[in-house]
Amino acid sequence: MPNTPRRAADYLAERLYQAGCRRAYGMPGGEVLTLLDALTKAGIKFILTKHENSACFMAEGDYHRTGAPGILVATLGPGAMNGMNAIANAFQDRVPLIVLTGCVDANEAQTYTHQVMDHAAVFASVTKASFCLTADSADIIADKAVGIATEARPGPVHIDVPITVANTQVAISRLRRRPPASSHVPAPGPELEMARRWLADAKRPVMIAGLDAMNDGAGSALKSFCDTLGVPLITTYKAKGILPEDHPLCLGGAGLSPLADTHLLPFVRNADLVICAGYDPIEMRPGWREVWDPDTINVIDISAVPNAHYMHQSGVNFISDTGATLEVLQQGISPNTTWPDGEVAAVKAALVGAFPTDDDWGPAAIIDECRRALPANTLATADSGAHRIFLSQMWACSEPRGLMQSSAFCTMGCAVPLAMGAKIASPDRPVVSFSGDAGFLMVAGELATAAELGLTPIFVVFVDASLALIQLKQRQRQLKDEAVTFGRHDFAAIATAFGGAGHTVSGRAELARALEAAKTADTFTVIAAQIGDGAYDGRI
């Protein structure tokens, strides 16, 4: 009841529960014990991890399944700093995240400096907002944090929770709740009429969809738009599956593959209308920076925020909800025959041919064998590295977030905890993660967490004892291999040491048997797939 005195931490926790949050991830310290107690009493389970960075990625994996903001809990100083990488990832990958950190009281900080630092200053460049909880405004701060994290372009919001404030009993007479911001649609006017005219006249339109479209839940409207008007779709890696990738108009994901770009970029340049539907180019490589000239081609841009990146420009820009805008835009437009010379099918076929599945062994064969063996509804995660480019081109998605990855920040060490968070939130869905050996070693300690929680994901590791993508770039510049190789390790043994199942494979038949065993295992499984040096050269 609003008039019943409660701890300030309780008001914060209750608002997060109302936002749909059911789990928080992290590692406690003495400064957050009241906060942990409040979260638990509100109905939010705390998941103890081995590192705050992994905790944050688990919270993201949870968000991708539930739609509720992720919660990271960290103690002051080193705990807060351990989460920085994944918090920055949430900022660039547009993930709603509530970062709760403990801190000493303001008066105590004047004479006590042990582990004391300015969290807000450190987080300023990687969060949408930062607050310091106060007792009388605990409910307002919590409500603000939820709104800022989830609205417009989502992202992380930080709340520092002083020890004494968390414990302070307060009776807030009226709980403040701001209604969610409504989705904007373009108003009638010259810009909308111009965009409709361009759409009606287009013979070679193409749509590029990205993070904003996915976060807007625009899949249904986007499919209707493409089907009705014959508009082919390219997605960023993060938006894969917003249109099922077996759809004849879907040209798959783009962003990091020079090989895929040799087919997609000429296609886009040949268009007479480009529709950027929630396309956030933070995911794209530099080759996509000047794909079109807005002075010579019609470009419609639909985005959550104004274009401040200048990576592309447009003739018409709508700051609005992606799906609602597509619905308004196509009103009154008669379908045209588009791309009459079969260009869409030709590009789709060329992309399939560029990433063949018939290799005897290697990265492509590993991905193909996994896709064949695992159920169609398998959720996948990808770590950063050369294998991710293969995976993003070859792993077909039929739903948004079917392949989860760090696509804007491109950080290593994300695939394993993302898979664990997804499995915690969706225990009935099969989950597989794909990591390079270096990225896997960064977070191997979380195998203990997987065992403790009884999780059963499959962790596939591409073992080549190198930073393959960096090594490839060195070779392309005719530089010698330097600081990109390391020892080969027994990943199967690491798995069994932590209580899981481990397999080392070096061929399709061995991998198929390992996958069959993993599908019925009562614990997590690590499959170490041994590949040779230079397995990615000329292939991505």
Side-chain angles (χ1 to χ4, degrees):
M1 297 292 293
N3 290 320
T4 303
R6 298 196 297 285
R7 297 170 299 182
D10 292 316
Y11 286 98
L12 172 59
E14 288 161 11
R15 180 64 186 94
L16 294 178
Y17 183 88
Q18 290 168 7
C21 304
R22 295 297 180 267
R23 285 164 293 274
Y25 298 81
M27 183 173 286
E31 295 76 17
V32 296
L33 295 181
T34 299
L35 182 58
L36 260 61
D37 183 67
L39 290 169
T40 301
K41 287 183 175 178
I44 298 174
K45 182 180 180 180
F46 183 75
I47 306 293
L48 175 63
T49 68
K50 304 302 173 284
H51 195 281
E52 291 84 354
N53 203 59
S54 293
C56 194
F57 281 119
M58 290 184 206
E60 178 183 341
D62 195 319
Y63 151 72
H64 285 310
R65 298 308 307 153
T66 65
I71 302 176
L72 169 66
V73 178
T75 193
L76 82 173
M81 295 306 99
N82 273 349
M84 276 294 293
N85 179 283
I87 295 167
N89 177 81
F91 185 69
Q92 291 207 0
D93 273 44
R94 318 313 189 194
V95 175
L97 178 72
I98 306 296
V99 180
L100 304 176
T101 57
C103 66
V104 301
D105 299 319
N107 288 333
E108 186 173 5
Q110 303 309 309
T111 57
Y112 181 78
T113 57
H114 177 68
Q115 293 186 319
V116 174
M117 60 185 300
D118 189 341
H119 292 161
V122 175
F123 288 135
S125 67
V126 294
T127 58
K128 293 181 70 178
S130 181
F131 299 95
C132 185
L133 197 73
T134 65
D136 289 338
S137 296
D139 182 66
I140 293 176
I141 290 171
D143 196 56
K144 284 185 177 182
V146 170
I148 294 170
T150 57
E151 292 174 353
R153 204 163 257 172
V157 173
H158 166 243
I159 304 177
D160 239 352
V161 184
I163 300 169
T164 300
V165 170
N167 276 305
T168 299
Q169 294 280 329
V170 59
I172 298 176
S173 60
R174 181 168 65 90
L175 299 181
R176 304 292 183 92
R177 294 290 182 270
R178 180 179 61 79
S182 59
S183 298
H184 295 291
V185 297
E191 283 198 334
L192 181 57
E193 293 309 312
M194 180 183 294
R196 283 174 171 163
R197 186 166 63 252
W198 289 350
L199 185 59
D201 293 342
K203 299 296 187 291
R204 299 184 310 280
V206 63
M207 179 185 291
I208 308 174
L211 278 165
D212 288 349
M214 186 182 70
N215 288 331
D216 286 343
S220 177
L222 187 148
K223 182 179 185 301
S224 174
F225 186 96
C226 291
D227 282 340
T228 301
L229 300 178
V231 179
L233 174 73
I234 299 167
T235 73
T236 63
Y237 283 174
K238 204 82 170 184
K240 276 173 64 70
I242 194 166
L243 180 67
E245 292 190 294
D246 59 358
H247 192 288
L249 290 170
C250 185
L251 298 179
L256 293 178
S257 170
L259 183 56
D261 285 355
T262 62
H263 303 287
L264 291 172
L265 290 176
F267 180 79
V268 174
R269 292 190 180 106
N270 192 37
D272 59 6
L273 173 65
V274 176
I275 304 160
C276 298
Y279 168 47
D280 183 349
I282 196 169
E283 297 185 70
M284 308 301 274
R285 55 196 301 272
W288 285 79
R289 185 158 44 204
E290 301 293 345
V291 183
W292 57 78
D293 181 351
D295 293 331
T296 60
I297 186 173
N298 296 328
V299 181
I300 301 169
D301 192 3
I302 306 164
S303 58
V305 298
N307 178 344
H309 52 73
Y310 279 69
M311 187 162 173
H312 67 255
Q313 292 297 318
S314 62
V316 175
N317 185 208
F318 299 114
I319 310 302
S320 55
D321 179 87
T322 308
T325 302
L326 291 175
E327 291 174 352
V328 169
L329 191 59
Q330 68 176 313
Q331 290 175 3
I333 306 298
S334 299
N336 266 333
T337 298
T338 61
W339 299 96
D341 297 325
E343 297 96 330
V344 176
V347 172
K348 196 172 180 72
L351 288 168
V352 171
F355 297 91
T357 60
D358 57 357
D359 291 0
D360 290 335
W361 188 241
I366 293 165
I367 294 167
D368 178 60
E369 203 64 41
C370 289
R371 182 69 281 185
R372 290 171 183 266
L374 297 175
N377 69 335
T378 298
L379 300 170
T381 67
D383 213 349
S384 288
H387 68 279
R388 180 168 76 96
I389 298 177
F390 260 123
L391 196 69
S392 296
Q393 299 301 141
M394 296 179 62
W395 189 271
C397 294
S398 60
E399 62 180 302
R401 299 180 171 91
L403 176 62
M404 293 162 274
Q405 55 184 295
S406 170
S407 190
F409 201 53
C410 290
T411 186
M412 295 172 67
C414 66
V416 166
L418 277 174
M420 291 171 61
K423 189 66 176 177
I424 290 168
S426 296
D428 296 332
R429 292 286 294 267
V431 177
V432 61
S433 83
F434 295 91
S435 303
D437 40 9
F440 186 83
L441 288 169
M442 288 182 176
V443 294
E446 296 304 339
L447 297 180
T449 307
E452 291 159 6
L453 297 175
L455 303 181
T456 59
I458 302 170
F459 303 120
V460 177
V461 187
F462 296 80
V463 181
D464 56 7
S466 71
L467 300 172
L469 185 58
I470 308 306
Q471 185 180 50
L472 176 60
K473 291 179 180 180
Q474 284 180 331
R475 293 173 177 175
Q476 289 171 342
R477 296 179 58 186
Q478 298 183 332
L479 300 172
K480 68 175 184 177
D481 291 0
E482 189 70 46
V484 291
T485 59
F486 45 88
R488 286 183 178 261
H489 304 285
D490 191 341
F491 293 97
I494 293 172
T496 57
F498 279 110
H503 306 268
T504 300
V505 302
S506 56
R508 279 185 180 260
E510 288 179 320
L511 176 56
R513 288 193 293 271
L515 289 166
E516 284 304 309
K519 286 193 292 186
T520 58
D522 59 1
T523 185
F524 69 86
T525 299
V526 173
I527 300 176
Q530 303 276 352
I531 57 177
D533 179 59
Y536 300 96
D537 291 2
R539 300 294 305 278
I540 56 177

